[in-house]
Amino acid sequence: MERHEIDVLTLQETKARDDQWPLMGLEAMGYEVATYGFNQWNGVAIASRVGISDVRRGFEGMPEYGDPRVTEARALGATCADVQVWSLYVPNGRALGDPHLDYKLDWLARLGVAARDWLRGDHQAQIALAGDWNVAPRDEDVFDMRSFATSTHVSPPERAAFHAIVESGYADVTRPFTPGPGVFTYWDYYRERFERNRGMRLDFVLGSPAFAERVTAAFIDRAERAGKGASDHAPVIVDTEP
DNA sequence: ATGGTCGTTTCACGA
């Protein structure tokens, strides 16, 4: 965060309850923090050094689909300066035919309905939908499509759900600055997946028209994936005009 | 078709 002068940070799959956050450290760096941690599995958070004026919680999980410890996925919205930022952790889906995939598709559909409502209410709204989408929208977003033939993340319904949100007015502001193929945001921990660049592009920032106009650059910080103890996802950074 | 890694919920499980 210090190296890249991050104004607003969104985190997903934090595996932390609200009471487990290192808030003092973030606050010492000048950040306000909003968290939405369900349990030790899944949570989301937003840290902002440009202020948080409003916090919205939405799109919680659907426990009827199974064990709520693992099915819970969350979305946390916060108004940071003039931008409404959402930290999204889209459900994983687990496997084709698994009820968790139905839950994932329902969750994305509900997000799409809400996102369209936000645009209808205010055409000048600056909204960023940022996080782990757990969808690889294009074939080039996985290192080897043959090995994903019977997998989630690339299935037509998942891709359709993602594209529906794009087509409703939320542009992917990251891909134009980080074109593929071979450009990923996630590499599994299995041996040499990162070293061999056998990854997936699952993390995106989608922006409303007014926000997308302000974006000047995007960057995937691969170096953060290299160290011992790193997350399996790399940070995705977006720059905007003031 | 399987297994490979990681961290926590541990000799199991979801990512």
Side-chain angles (χ1 to χ4, degrees):
Chain A
M1 292 168 75
E2 289 171 345
R3 284 190 294 107
H4 294 290
E5 299 183 1
I6 299 299
D7 289 321
V8 179
L9 172 77
T10 71
L11 292 168
Q12 301 85 34
E13 199 183 357
T14 56
K15 301 186 176 178
R17 298 186 308 264
D18 285 354
D19 64 301
Q20 295 175 312
W21 275 89
L23 299 177
M24 289 173 60
L26 289 165
E27 288 168 356
M29 294 172 68
Y31 289 87
E32 289 182 59
V33 183
T35 63
Y36 194 7
F38 174 66
N39 56 19
Q40 290 164 323
W41 279 98
N42 297 322
V44 289
I46 298 176
S48 170
R49 67 176 185 184
V50 294
I52 293 178
S53 58
D54 183 44
V55 175
R56 304 186 194 184
R57 295 181 166 200
F59 311 108
E60 64 278 359
M62 299 177 175
E64 65 269 25
Y65 281 97
D67 185 342
R69 290 182 312 166
V70 290
T71 60
E72 281 281 343
R74 298 261 156 162
L76 177 68
T79 302
C80 304
D82 50 353
V83 181
Q84 183 189 342
V85 180
W86 282 89
S87 179
L88 306 175
Y89 176 54
V90 175
N92 176 284
R94 293 194 182 182
L96 298 185
D98 192 302
H100 289 80
L101 181 54
D102 298 328
Y103 154 58
K104 178 181 191 175
L105 295 171
D106 287 346
W107 199 97
L108 283 166
R110 286 192 291 152
L111 172 63
V113 169
R116 279 187 288 277
D117 285 345
W118 299 332
L119 286 181
R120 200 156 38 232
D122 179 4
H123 290 280
Q124 299 304 311
Q126 297 194 48
I127 305 170
L129 312 177
D132 177 0
W133 290 79
N134 267 320
V135 176
R138 299 185 184 178
D139 287 356
E140 71 175 27
D141 297 333
V142 296
F143 65 88
D144 179 11
M145 270 302 291
R146 290 170 299 179
S147 60
F148 283 84
T150 59
S151 300
T152 58
H153 296 61
V154 301
S155 74
E158 290 165 88
R159 287 179 167 177
F162 182 91
H163 289 308
I165 295 174
V166 173
E167 287 160 14
S168 74
Y170 288 89
D172 174 4
V173 302
T174 54
R175 190 187 295 272
F177 296 97
T178 56
V183 174
F184 307 124
T185 66
Y186 161 87
W187 299 261
D188 213 328
Y189 284 123
Y190 303 151
R191 184 178 301 279
E192 294 181 342
R193 281 283 175 84
F194 178 68
E195 289 75 7
R196 300 169 66 185
N197 195 32
R198 296 169 71 81
M200 306 172 74
R201 190 202 287 257
L202 305 177
D203 302 273
F204 300 92
V205 179
L206 269 53
S208 65
F211 177 80
E213 279 183 11
R214 286 178 61 186
V215 174
T216 57
F219 168 61
I220 298 166
D221 192 2
R222 293 179 83 261
E224 288 291 348
R225 177 62 180 82
K228 182 175 175 59
S231 168
D232 43 7
H233 293 254
V236 177
I237 299 171
V238 170
D239 283 333
T240 67
E241 297 171 341

